[in-house]
Amino acid sequence: GAVVSQHPSRVICKSGTSVKIECRSLDFQATTMFWYRQFPKQSLMLMATSNEGSKATYEQGVEKDKFLINHASLTLSTLTVTSAHPEDSSFYICSAQAGDRGRYDEQFFGPGTRLTVL
Amino acid sequence: TQLLEQSPQFLSIQEGENLTVYCNSSSVFSSLQWYRQEPGEGPVLLVTVVTGGEVKKLKRLTFQFGDARKDSSLHITAAQPGDTGLYLCAGDRRNYGGSQGNLIFGKGTKLSVKP
């Protein structure tokens, strides 16, 4: 159990275009989903936290108008990178948390999406 | 700033050797998780430690949470090439000023086990 999928796994786009990444919890309902960014040889940096049906909470320094997050259902969150630029190229990882599994419920991570902006 | 310092950053050992990875902080955590990440994939949860002083074993992996819940260690006995990967510790600050489910990640330890 606790499987999280991401789509697409890899995407290459031209500068100035927008890219949507989907994150799905396949076998549980995720009240909270998180979006991380990971640069090569570095750790995961939290970008934003999204709760189903409400606006996402963005970490300091993350532009909410550039990284649009929608958590419309308990099994799906999307991250849209708008007007992508080469510096947005990175590995984007989502995680999902059930929220009803006790005080110390874990985050389960998706396999990541490699975004390359040309 | 809440930081988790992981050491060593890189570790290259021969098959059969033992190793320990450390995760230290000046902050207290509700719980601490250890993950393993393969290149191009998301992190996979290995274990969650919750109670100060707790020790958990997962086959050849032994995880310990410090008494003060500020640090943790991962010990691997008789390492195998299949243990190669990036090991990440992450502390949950939920009950100590963090937002809901906010994990603070260490920078990771890149382990290479040579046959």
Side-chain angles (χ1 to χ4, degrees):
Chain A
V3 179
V4 177
S5 71
Q6 272 183 251
H7 179 79
S9 57
R10 286 178 175 272
V11 57
I12 301 173
C13 69
K14 292 183 179 180
S15 187
T17 61
S18 294
V19 174
K20 180 186 282 189
I21 303 170
E22 292 186 350
C23 176
R24 293 181 185 272
S25 56
L26 298 184
D27 52 1
F28 67 100
Q29 292 187 325
T31 54
T32 307
M33 286 186 170
F34 305 87
W35 287 95
Y36 294 84
R37 187 171 176 177
Q38 186 177 31
F39 290 104
K41 300 182 181 179
Q42 294 190 26
S43 191
L44 281 72
M45 297 299 295
L46 180 67
M47 297 175 66
T49 302
S50 76
N51 290 294
E52 184 263 338
S54 61
K55 289 184 180 179
T57 302
Y58 290 82
E59 295 299 300
Q60 194 171 11
V62 178
E63 298 176 57
K64 61 181 180 181
D65 293 330
K66 181 167 185 63
F67 298 100
L68 301 178
I69 292 171
N70 185 289
H71 192 164
S73 77
L74 285 171
T75 59
L76 173 65
S77 176
T78 60
L79 167 68
T80 302
V81 182
T82 62
S83 187
H85 290 288
E87 57 265 30
D88 297 325
S89 298
S90 190
F91 193 51
Y92 292 87
I93 307 174
C94 73
S95 70
Q97 186 177 61
D100 61 351
R101 294 154 61 113
R103 189 177 175 192
Y104 302 106
D105 52 330
E106 298 97 355
Q107 293 182 28
F108 296 95
F109 286 82
T113 296
R114 171 72 60 194
L115 170 64
T116 303
V117 185
L118 302 176
Chain B
T1 305
Q2 302 158 358
L3 289 177
L4 264 177
E5 300 288 342
Q6 253 187 271
S7 62
Q9 245 184 307
F10 300 95
L11 194 53
S12 181
I13 60 173
Q14 292 295 131
E15 181 176 2
E17 293 183 8
N18 301 332
L19 68 113
T20 302
V21 177
Y22 299 93
C23 185
N24 296 302
S25 177
S26 58
S27 301
V28 177
F29 295 101
S30 308
S31 64
L32 195 140
Q33 283 115 43
W34 284 92
Y35 295 84
R36 183 175 150 198
Q37 185 179 21
E38 301 284 349
E41 298 180 13
V44 175
L45 179 68
L46 296 174
V47 78
T48 299
V49 285
V50 173
T51 307
E54 182 176 8
V55 177
K56 280 191 175 179
K57 291 193 175 185
L58 189 66
K59 295 183 181 178
R60 294 176 293 99
L61 278 61
T62 301
F63 304 86
Q64 186 162 9
F65 202 12
D67 291 340
R69 287 155 61 170
K70 295 181 179 180
D71 53 83
S72 181
S73 64
L74 157 62
H75 182 80
I76 301 179
T77 304
Q80 299 176 2
D83 296 327
T84 294
L86 179 67
Y87 289 83
L88 295 160
C89 66
D92 188 341
R93 286 279 299 169
R94 204 176 322 186
N95 294 322
Y96 295 91
S99 60
Q100 181 186 3
N102 190 353
L103 289 180
I104 309 295
F105 276 88
K107 288 191 175 181
T109 295
K110 192 172 173 70
L111 172 65
S112 174
V113 183
K114 298 176 182 177

